Amino acid sequence: MLLDLSEEHKEHLAFLPQVDSTVVAEFGRIAVEFLRRGSNPKIYEGAARKLSVSSDTIQHGVEGLTYLLTESSKLMISELDFQDSVFVLGFSEELNKLLLQLYLDNRKEIRTILSELAPDLPSYHSLEWRLDVQLASRSLRQQIKPSVTIKLHLNQNGDHNTQVLQTDPATLLHLVQQLEQALEEMKTNHCRRVVRNIK
């Protein structure tokens, strides 16, 4: 699977061939630090002074490299696919090898950092349900009032959580139809593209 880099990312990465390989390696270290601790303008300003360029150019270069490494790590692309993705940028053979080495050295750490940044949402464990029907009351002798009670068991951080929901069958049917419609929409090409870009 090849990475699809936008023109903006290609422009950001275009700065890399203009600097020495040790600087590119340092940019790789800064990119991993960027993921770990966030942006640090002082680092960009110091590097900009040393290289006699604007700090925006340095920041864009680091952000472009960060994007390249994170997307490659997220998709766990192979060495060959990474080389093919970078080959499109038109860099020298030496720079391509350096970027590949940066990717191979840091992909496990980047995946660990990205997994820590991901929100920890509850996950489904089990479901119990019950249908209750009220046939009559003191004031109304003939009445049919159905209700569905759902007990949803969830897991989050190893803890078990329980949610009790109650609704009428018409609302539950509407909810099921909306969920089925959402699942069908996920099969469209547009949604597949969006999901691919989110990952």
Side-chain angles (χ1 to χ4, degrees):
M1 170 185 232
L2 295 178
L3 285 180
D4 185 23
L5 297 172
S6 68
E7 289 302 317
E8 182 183 13
H9 289 114
K10 290 178 183 176
E11 286 174 22
H12 290 173
L13 292 169
F15 175 68
L16 297 179
Q18 301 170 16
V19 295
D20 192 42
S21 60
T22 55
V23 176
V24 175
E26 182 64 17
F27 279 8
R29 188 192 63 76
I30 293 171
V32 175
E33 285 297 314
F34 174 77
L35 285 173
R36 208 181 285 128
R37 295 195 177 97
S39 181
N40 188 350
K42 290 180 182 178
I43 293 175
Y44 301 142
E45 290 167 7
R49 267 186 265 130
K50 287 179 186 174
L51 298 172
S52 302
V53 293
S54 70
S55 63
D56 285 343
T57 305
I58 301 293
Q59 183 174 356
H60 290 314
V62 170
E63 288 173 355
L65 190 56
T66 303
Y67 179 79
L68 178 69
L69 294 173
T70 54
E71 289 302 306
S72 302
S73 299
K74 264 194 246 179
L75 301 172
M76 284 297 286
I77 63 175
S78 67
E79 292 180 35
L80 186 62
D81 286 343
F82 184 86
Q83 287 174 326
D84 290 343
S85 299
V86 175
F87 181 75
V88 175
L89 299 171
F91 294 160
S92 67
E93 187 67 33
E94 180 187 351
L95 183 55
N96 288 347
K97 286 181 181 176
L98 180 61
L99 290 173
L100 175 64
Q101 196 57 46
L102 274 172
Y103 167 61
L104 295 175
D105 291 345
N106 294 305
R107 69 177 167 189
K108 287 183 182 175
E109 185 179 359
I110 291 171
R111 285 185 64 81
T112 304
I113 291 169
L114 292 176
S115 67
E116 290 169 1
L117 293 175
D120 187 28
L121 300 173
S123 61
Y124 172 82
H125 178 68
S126 65
L127 177 88
E128 299 174 39
W129 62 275
R130 183 179 73 215
L131 177 66
D132 295 321
V133 180
Q134 184 177 349
L135 298 174
S137 65
R138 288 184 195 172
S139 57
L140 292 170
R141 291 188 181 185
Q142 292 183 347
Q143 140 189 354
I144 298 177
K145 187 178 174 187
S147 68
V148 179
T149 305
I150 301 169
K151 192 173 188 180
L152 187 60
H153 299 276
L154 305 171
N155 291 333
Q156 186 173 15
N157 294 335
D159 297 331
H160 297 291
N161 187 4
T162 303
Q163 299 288 330
V164 178
L165 312 165
Q166 189 169 21
T167 185
D168 60 299
T171 304
L172 184 62
L173 183 62
H174 177 70
L175 179 66
V176 168
Q177 289 171 344
Q178 292 297 311
L179 289 172
E180 286 175 348
Q181 183 180 350
L183 286 173
E184 284 300 314
E185 194 170 321
M186 284 300 294
K187 295 177 183 174
T188 64
N189 288 335
H190 175 71
C191 285
R192 286 182 181 168
R193 256 184 269 127
V194 170
V195 168
R196 199 175 322 126
N197 288 330
I198 289 173
K199 290 180 181 176

